[in-house]
Amino acid sequence: MQRIALLTSGGDAPGMNAAVRAVVRRALAAGCQPIGVQEGYAGLIEGRMEELDHRAVGDIIHRGGTILRTARSEAFRTSEGQQRALEQLRRHGIEGLVAIGGDGTLRGALALHRQGFPVVGVPATIDNDLAGTDVTIGFDTAVNTVLEAINRVRDTATAHGRTFVIEVMGRHSGQIALMAGLAGGAESILVPEVPYDLDDVCARLLRGRQRGKRHSIIVVAEGAARGFEVAQAIEARTGLETRVTVLGHIQRGGTPSGRDRMVASILGAAAVEALLAGQSGVMVGVRGDGWMATPIEEVLASPRPLPAGWMELAEILAR
Amino acid sequence: MQRIALLTSGGDAPGMNAAVRAVVRRALAAGCQPIGVQEGYAGLIEGRMEELDHRAVGDIIHRGGTILRTARSEAFRTSEGQQRALEQLRRHGIEGLVAIGGDGTLRGALALHRQGFPVVGVPATIDNDLAGTDVTIGFDTAVNTVLEAINRVRDTATAHGRTFVIEVMGRHSGQIALMAGLAGGAESILVPEVPYDLDDVCARLLRGRQRGKRHSIIVVAEGAARGFEVAQAIEARTGLETRVTVLGHIQRGGTPSGRDRMVASILGAAAVEALLAGQSGVMVGVRGDGWMATPIEEVLASPRPLPAGWMELAEILAR
Amino acid sequence: MQRIALLTSGGDAPGMNAAVRAVVRRALAAGCQPIGVQEGYAGLIEGRMEELDHRAVGDIIHRGGTILRTARSEAFRTSEGQQRALEQLRRHGIEGLVAIGGDGTLRGALALHRQGFPVVGVPATIDNDLAGTDVTIGFDTAVNTVLEAINRVRDTATAHGRTFVIEVMGRHSGQIALMAGLAGGAESILVPEVPYDLDDVCARLLRGRQRGKRHSIIVVAEGAARGFEVAQAIEARTGLETRVTVLGHIQRGGTPSGRDRMVASILGAAAVEALLAGQSGVMVGVRGDGWMATPIEEVLASPRPLPAGWMELAEILAR
Amino acid sequence: MQRIALLTSGGDAPGMNAAVRAVVRRALAAGCQPIGVQEGYAGLIEGRMEELDHRAVGDIIHRGGTILRTARSEAFRTSEGQQRALEQLRRHGIEGLVAIGGDGTLRGALALHRQGFPVVGVPATIDNDLAGTDVTIGFDTAVNTVLEAINRVRDTATAHGRTFVIEVMGRHSGQIALMAGLAGGAESILVPEVPYDLDDVCARLLRGRQRGKRHSIIVVAEGAARGFEVAQAIEARTGLETRVTVLGHIQRGGTPSGRDRMVASILGAAAVEALLAGQSGVMVGVRGDGWMATPIEEVLASPRPLPAGWMELAEILAR
């Protein structure tokens, strides 16, 4: 395999640049020429790609975002779009592709694999909603960003004796909400995977006040409820002054954490190694300090569950 | 003067604790007994106060919020409420009061002063909307918090080639928006003090794109417009994908910056010195490395203008 | 088991407070009374302990250090010291102990276990040098702190075209150096576990310069070499201007990261559950999203190796 | 004036890039061509310079270091070196120069001015040791970096009940030590400008312990004493376990604070305006929200004193 392309696709995640760097340098170390595709599958269809060398990925390991940029592509979902992508890959003499992103990215990778093109996926999404890996690239940084926000909000919550509802990302997955809520000492955590009862939330709030708590923080995944609706419901039922903060896109950016850079470095290199070893249609994932490969079909078939017992733990520790 | 009370009132601001610490320790150094009032004027009316010693303010200089807590008091706006406050002060043998907060706090202080009670104000509000001081306590930290958020958003804006509208605090004042926008390299800054034209904003955006800019950031003070309305207008007129982030209460919290702690330390001590020197009805403010006192009436009569020339500078530097 | 004691011992690590909180609240949820011992085994010998309730561990999950304080105890290494500790435990009606710390702490726990006292260890040390867990509490935060320092140094290294040697903690273990070096893009990483050759380090530096690199960063674990000696050797052999930064104790402090708080929460709760289930002489550790228990003897017998392949990966990625 | 050169020289400081950006864009707005000189006066002598456009300074306002790089030049101190620099300036058709840096940089600027070449200085040094400005570019960020380090050290100091000596930058100036010490709640602050007595330092430490203080932090400017000598002396006299942290070069780097970016933006633009207005041999400085120009001779003749009263304030507040 002489020429390996790489792209980042879907929502950006901190650590994508570290993964790009690892793919490029691991490929170069193996004697392959890495080729960077701009703006994901959209750029692939249009043939926007160029050869990358060592220096092209210098000084990026600590930067958020992705130097390859990213986009969502409607065209690539069609059979015609995929054919055009394959033509571009052939025209540029490319023999393998590393696709870095979330579930949509993996679906695209699977489509190419099914057409016979060698492709390996790297899980990068702040949502941490993919199986086949201990963690996805970007999740760790996103959780730390949410925790910083919770720290700030806690100051003002305590000063005013208020209740705060913090809405975090996660349309289908409560991973960020659960981990940030647990690590942030939130009183209640609402996630899409688990039914909740606002009466319970309110009862818990009132018990906390009776025990002398001066502030209360409730973390809500956007897929479970809208923050402001939860706040209105709480005010209506408890009379407690309640404010909302919707964290939004600040959760996607920022300097990646050590863990995200490490996971990205391991998986970027692993993706190249897997391709060179003849694997295709797999996603590489971390397991402990090493890595493993899982068929993408399997990854997509089984969404990552919330860690067993964490919701109960959160409930016990926030009492 | 043997007994000096202190309170924090209105919206909390990072550095309030450093000011509380300075008032307490400066008073003790002068042989006075400091008395902390809980929850601002509301607590004053209800007589919720206690003597503070050195240790009571240990290990707080770096914490956001305020250990005295804060509240807004409707009751204190009435003449009756003020009489009850004065009674409490007399009952506790208090001879002077330091009131830490924003314009509402100063209005309360002025009311007590007019009743003949010695009171000195300390400007603490993230809004930086008070004259008579180089800067208010909390503003520096709030701007740095907004800049961190802009940094994060910039990563994802660049990765996706998007326009972002960031709504910051400032109902009547564009100070945070202007400074954070200028220091954050925002393309446009909308503030309540200056009329704006969305056609200009859009034209500037499009010119930036033509010059090759991959992301654009627009900072909007909440008093100038709602972020989502600006975003909708931009999308409608330019067709550029535009997202909104409303920073909300994270702007109030966090570890205070060095400057906020320094200003708070100087002014907390200065307030005690001013009281002991027989001053009343004044607000202490920083000027360079020192401090000065200005009649509260004067402070309230002349809201702080936006710094001359900064809007033009922002426009030139963001081109 | 009605009364469970807990202590933190050895060097402090970020996340110890989160572990203390989890032990206390998990014990309370199980109907046990948690008893906090001050200053580790030293305080145990002297009987300095008190009952803790929910509020005693409120608002500490995000704080560095340990509210129970920590110390190293010579006395406890003697048989006599251990007998006195056991007497104190009996006198206070304590039936089980959770010991939070590093290898020295575990050795102390093992001694008590061998005397027949039920004890469970929780791995908390920034060194990450213990087997039986994916990671020790405090390591993740320490690595992020080192990376922040590397980021800062990188700015000035680039501005001046200098080489920097950064000495990090790790007397017997290169875990911090390896992970921070890899995630920080260091050109060379020196660790106690792997012999190194300064000629290689210098040759790599010079090759980097020839490729156009403007700065070089070398991370050195204190157990591998002293930073200033490495710097002197590099200057002598290459003529490149080289500076040293010894990070020192800033690596121990700071707000714990999300991961450290999470691991601490899981393991604090797990330690209580293990004790209640009748286990003793074990250390609880995280594995993926869950936990497991390993005999302390086994943990102490097999120091944690450097992750396989990471040194080579670091070398490839820094080229 | 059609062509204006700019350079950064001496030790780098956070905010230099923001100043470079402001000079370039302000010059372009005035119809001038800005020319960037590489590596300060050394690059000037060698004619290493190139024209800069808007995009050359895009996306740098938030980065530490300086894209123009910096160096110290022995050659430029000689009359011959200065002549060669003037020749280069003429050869490139340059009519004015903006020199960004500390006192050494200003001395160089003064030399060129005395030769009749128009030059304006911009104060950028973390040391804050220049008169003629409220603050120098870089100081605010450096203080915040030191405060972060103090926060971290405080955690471990409290956990172990230890005394910490923190050595900060400042060979001839105690500005960083004083402001960080005051804002960090240090028990004692040693600066080059004020004689100190270690017996006093120790007495204060012991008094603090008697009052129940669990940790003590002493901030030392490198120009006042070496940290480890202070620590040894304290241990010898008090018997208190004392540790040292030498912060070193991490104080120079990092994302510039809002204030540093703001001051840099104002002064970079002001330097261009001063040149265009026919001024030379002056340094521009901030005063409140505006700027002013001071003859460089005057600036160099009167080193900035420590702010009056701050040492006493620090002593009172740390009691």
Side-chain angles (χ1 to χ4, degrees), chain B residues 62-63, chain C residues 62-63:
Chain B
H62 59 300
R63 301 208 195 278
Chain C
H62 59 300
R63 301 208 195 278

Short mmCIF file of all heavy atoms in Angstrom, two decimals, chain B residues 62-63, chain C residues 62-63:
data_model
loop_
_atom_site.label_atom_id
_atom_site.label_comp_id
_atom_site.label_asym_id
_atom_site.label_seq_id
_atom_site.Cartn_x
_atom_site.Cartn_y
_atom_site.Cartn_z
N HIS B 62 -9.11 33.18 46.40
CA HIS B 62 -9.11 32.61 45.05
C HIS B 62 -10.45 31.98 44.69
O HIS B 62 -10.56 31.32 43.67
CB HIS B 62 -8.00 31.59 44.93
CG HIS B 62 -8.13 30.47 45.92
ND1 HIS B 62 -8.14 30.66 47.27
CD2 HIS B 62 -8.27 29.14 45.75
CE1 HIS B 62 -8.26 29.51 47.88
NE2 HIS B 62 -8.36 28.57 46.99
N ARG B 63 -11.45 32.18 45.49
CA ARG B 63 -12.74 31.53 45.20
C ARG B 63 -13.73 32.52 44.60
O ARG B 63 -13.83 33.66 45.03
CB ARG B 63 -13.33 30.94 46.48
CG ARG B 63 -12.42 29.91 47.14
CD ARG B 63 -13.20 28.89 47.95
NE ARG B 63 -12.32 28.15 48.83
CZ ARG B 63 -11.57 27.10 48.46
NH1 ARG B 63 -11.61 26.68 47.20
NH2 ARG B 63 -10.79 26.49 49.31
N HIS C 62 -14.42 18.78 43.72
CA HIS C 62 -13.62 19.49 42.72
C HIS C 62 -12.36 20.12 43.32
O HIS C 62 -11.69 20.88 42.64
CB HIS C 62 -14.47 20.56 42.06
CG HIS C 62 -15.01 21.56 43.04
ND1 HIS C 62 -15.82 21.23 44.09
CD2 HIS C 62 -14.83 22.89 43.15
CE1 HIS C 62 -16.14 22.30 44.79
NE2 HIS C 62 -15.54 23.32 44.23
N ARG C 63 -12.04 19.78 44.52
CA ARG C 63 -10.88 20.41 45.14
C ARG C 63 -9.68 19.46 45.17
O ARG C 63 -9.81 18.28 45.44
CB ARG C 63 -11.19 20.84 46.58
CG ARG C 63 -12.35 21.81 46.67
CD ARG C 63 -12.24 22.73 47.88
NE ARG C 63 -13.51 23.39 48.14
CZ ARG C 63 -13.93 24.49 47.50
NH1 ARG C 63 -13.19 25.04 46.57
NH2 ARG C 63 -15.10 25.03 47.79
#
